[in-house]
Amino acid sequence: MEPDVLFRVVDVAGVIAYGVIGASFARALNYDIIGYMVLGVLTALGGGMIRDSLLGIGFPVALTDPWYLSGALGASLFAYLIPMDGPWARRGLLLADVLALGCWSATGASKGLAAGLAPIPSMFLGVITATAGGMLRDVVIGRRPAIFGSNPMYATFAIIASAIMVIFQRNGMYERGMALSILVCLVFGLAAQKFHWVLPSRPVNIIETSTRQLKEQGRRMRTNVKRTRSQRANREKRRKRRGLDK
């Protein structure tokens, strides 16, 4: 299979999988068929539509590619009719999820570079493409976006995949960059799910930490000085006693 065809298959499979995943939230919330459609389309196509709108290069591809909108709507209808809560269904969705994460991260970064953007803005578009749909869905249903903590590090892997694509495409290796981005997200995305990898959520205060460390060092120094003085005083007392004994 040609690389472009394979990437296309992964891309469309990701749209369908994200549509099913988004619509599955509607089942848990007892939404009607319209709720399924809205959540499915937002999850599957929201990131790409935001990316294309930011680039301002014409109609969003979600509106011009017949596979995208029809795939998202069909996936939403499928999730409405058939609950995808079996173990094999969840595994299949997870596989398509991480494959699409790499594909969409790389695609967003590639489109940014093709539009003449610098590497960092291109990486930003890659992350937006891969994660913004899920964020929109979470906002609509009134929950904290999943990428903000206590969930597998999808946004982190999207950043890595986007960076890989930028590096490879700028060196004339588009297909290798796309393939490696997908592979990285596949391997590490599955590992993050299996081993529950998450980023630390405890806030870091460098000033407070440095102040605490300085205070601790000062306390240790004072303790050492007191101990040294005490040892000197004890040695002096022993010398005086030995002098008296003589």
Side-chain angles (χ1 to χ4, degrees):
M1 184 181 292
E2 292 293 325
D4 287 344
V5 176
L6 179 60
F7 299 152
R8 175 65 169 170
V9 170
V10 172
D11 186 24
V12 174
V15 169
I16 295 172
Y18 273 50
V20 172
I21 293 170
S24 297
F25 283 83
R27 180 176 294 275
L29 295 168
N30 272 331
Y31 286 0
D32 60 17
I33 182 62
I34 300 300
Y36 278 76
M37 296 292 184
V38 170
L39 293 187
V41 169
L42 278 180
T43 307
L45 305 177
M49 289 194 290
I50 292 175
R51 175 203 63 214
D52 293 342
S53 298
L54 289 173
L55 286 173
I57 53 177
F59 294 114
V61 69
L63 302 180
T64 59
D65 189 324
W67 280 99
Y68 277 28
L69 192 55
S70 59
L73 291 172
S76 303
L77 179 60
F78 181 83
Y80 178 74
L81 298 174
I82 301 175
M84 300 292 289
D85 51 7
W88 285 106
R90 289 196 297 268
R91 289 169 187 167
L93 288 175
L94 174 61
L95 179 62
D97 184 10
V98 293
L99 286 172
L101 180 72
C103 181
W104 291 354
S105 300
T107 299
S110 175
K111 287 195 172 188
L113 289 176
L117 294 179
I120 298 300
S122 298
M123 289 172 56
F124 173 72
L125 285 181
V127 177
I128 287 292
T129 305
T131 64
M135 292 178 62
L136 288 174
R137 175 203 64 216
D138 291 342
V139 170
V140 166
I141 64 176
R143 81 170 200 173
R144 183 182 68 175
I147 68 169
F148 287 170
S150 302
N151 286 277
M153 302 185 297
Y154 278 11
T156 304
F157 301 142
I159 295 171
I160 295 172
S162 300
I164 290 172
M165 190 64 198
V166 166
I167 293 171
F168 275 74
Q169 184 165 331
R170 283 170 64 86
N171 287 278
M173 296 182 285
Y174 169 83
E175 292 181 351
R176 293 182 183 180
M178 180 71 76
L180 185 57
S181 297
I182 295 173
L183 181 61
V184 165
C185 285
L186 172 65
V187 173
F188 288 100
L190 293 177
Q193 282 284 351
K194 180 177 178 59
F195 298 109
H196 305 290
W197 291 348
V198 295
L199 292 175
S201 57
R202 189 181 69 177
V204 177
N205 189 328
I206 297 176
I207 297 176
E208 181 181 348
T209 302
S210 301
T211 303
R212 189 184 306 116
Q213 290 175 346
L214 289 173
K215 288 181 179 179
E216 181 65 20
Q217 290 177 358
R219 187 186 64 80
R220 290 177 182 175
M221 290 177 62
R222 289 192 296 271
T223 301
N224 290 336
V225 169
K226 290 179 180 179
R227 185 181 298 115
T228 302
R229 289 176 178 175
S230 177
Q231 291 172 350
R232 289 177 180 173
N234 290 335
R235 285 197 297 268
E236 188 64 28
K237 289 179 181 178
R238 286 195 295 268
R239 289 196 197 98
K240 289 181 179 179
R241 288 175 183 171
R242 284 197 296 267
L244 292 174
D245 291 340
K246 293 178 181 179

